[in-house]
């Protein structure tokens, strides 16, 4: 029986897939038409709710990006977004330094494509002599081959809006909670508080 199954598997015709046939298109290859939008969605919407204009679909917000340049560009284009706001949109800068889980990572024009997980820490945006600093809680940084970087953070606060006294107070409170925690849940919550406030303190003093 096993031989019959093996023979069937070996004699079954196989389809050869190349990388070109299975890869997904890059954002530079996505053709978007903000005027037309998603025609299938609009058509379905009008059948169900003909008296209300259809909402905009994600494709209407997409903008095609330039292809990977043949020469090293002089600027890095950054999108820095939060769940509730957009801090930077299509902003050209010299460099961005993000707090990756593997350590501080500098992103310059021409950086290799990278996906980096972010941890609580300091994110700095450098443009000439101007440096904007944010404290972020977590997120991801997506660096593309065409010198675009998308930074997605869960929370972000400009560093100059953080009160050092409150940071020291919070660090002291969570350190005390960690030492007196009796359950694993309490220990985990207190450890998160210590880690975040320690990172805040380092960002302010560094």
């Amino acid at each position: 029986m096993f031989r019959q199954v093996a023979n069937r598997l070996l004699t079954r015709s196989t389809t050869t897939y190349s990388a070109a046939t299975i890869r997904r298109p890059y954002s530079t290859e996505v053709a978007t038409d903000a005027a037309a939008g998603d025609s299938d969605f609009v058509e379905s919407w009008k059948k169900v709710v003909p008296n209300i204009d259809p909402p905009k679909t994600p494709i209407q917000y997409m903008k095609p990006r330039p292809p990977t340049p043949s020469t090293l560009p002089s600027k890095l284009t950054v999108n820095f977004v939060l769940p509730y706001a957009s801090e930077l949109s299509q902003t050209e800068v010299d460099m961005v330094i993000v707090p990756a889980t593997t350590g501080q990572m500098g992103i310059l024009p021409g950086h290799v494509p990278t996906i980096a997980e972010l941890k609580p820490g300091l994110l700095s945006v450098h443009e000439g002599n101007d440096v904007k600093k944010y404290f972020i809680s977590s997120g991801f940084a997506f660096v593309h081959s065409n010198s675009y970087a998308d930074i997605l953070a869960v929370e972000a606060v400009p560093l100059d809006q953080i009160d050092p006294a409150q940071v020291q107070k919070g660090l002291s409170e969570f350190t005390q909670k960690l030492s007196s925690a009796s359950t694993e849940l309490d220990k985990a919550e207190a450890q998160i508080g210590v880690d975040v406030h320690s990172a805040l303190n380092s960002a302010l003093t560094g």
Side-chain angles (χ1 to χ4, degrees):
M1 178 178 177
F2 290 109
R3 290 182 178 179
Q4 293 177 355
V5 173
N7 288 333
R8 289 179 182 176
L9 291 174
L10 291 173
T11 57
R12 182 179 297 172
S13 60
T14 57
T15 304
T16 302
Y17 295 96
S18 64
T21 59
I22 62 174
R23 76 172 181 83
R24 303 180 72 176
Y26 294 109
S27 59
T28 55
E29 302 168 343
V30 176
T32 60
D33 186 354
D38 189 337
S39 57
D40 293 338
F41 171 77
V42 171
E43 185 178 347
S44 300
W45 176 277
K46 289 183 177 180
K47 290 179 181 178
V48 179
V49 193
N51 299 326
I52 301 177
D53 293 334
K56 291 185 177 180
T57 55
I59 196 172
Q60 292 176 273
Y61 295 97
M62 291 181 64
K63 296 180 180 179
R65 291 182 175 178
T68 302
S70 57
T71 58
L72 186 67
S74 60
K75 294 290 183 178
L76 174 73
T77 304
V78 177
N79 295 304
F80 178 28
V81 296
L82 310 172
Y84 50 85
S86 176
E87 292 292 332
L88 299 174
S89 178
Q90 302 282 317
T91 304
E92 291 188 343
V93 300
D94 293 328
M95 177 178 65
V96 174
I97 300 177
V98 298
T101 54
T102 55
Q104 291 292 106
M105 184 177 78
I107 305 173
L108 292 164
H111 196 285
V112 295
T114 306
I115 298 177
E117 183 181 0
L118 306 180
K119 64 180 181 180
L122 182 65
L123 180 148
S124 57
V125 181
H126 300 253
E127 173 56 27
N129 295 325
D130 184 23
V131 180
K132 295 181 180 178
K133 297 182 178 181
Y134 301 85
F135 183 83
I136 66 172
S137 62
S138 59
F140 286 90
F142 301 88
V143 185
H144 308 280
S145 59
N146 56 358
S147 290
Y148 271 70
D150 296 321
I151 301 172
L152 288 68
V154 177
E155 291 284 348
V157 180
L159 196 63
D160 56 7
Q161 295 182 14
I162 299 175
D163 185 357
Q166 292 297 322
V167 173
Q168 292 293 335
K169 179 181 177 181
L171 180 59
S172 177
E173 290 177 352
F174 278 106
T175 302
Q176 184 177 358
K177 288 181 180 179
L178 181 60
S179 61
S180 61
S182 57
T183 65
E184 292 299 323
L185 177 60
D186 291 340
K187 289 180 182 179
E189 291 178 346
Q191 186 63 59
I192 292 172
V194 170
D195 292 344
V196 171
H197 283 79
S198 296
L200 270 166
N201 189 49
S202 298
L204 290 169
T205 58

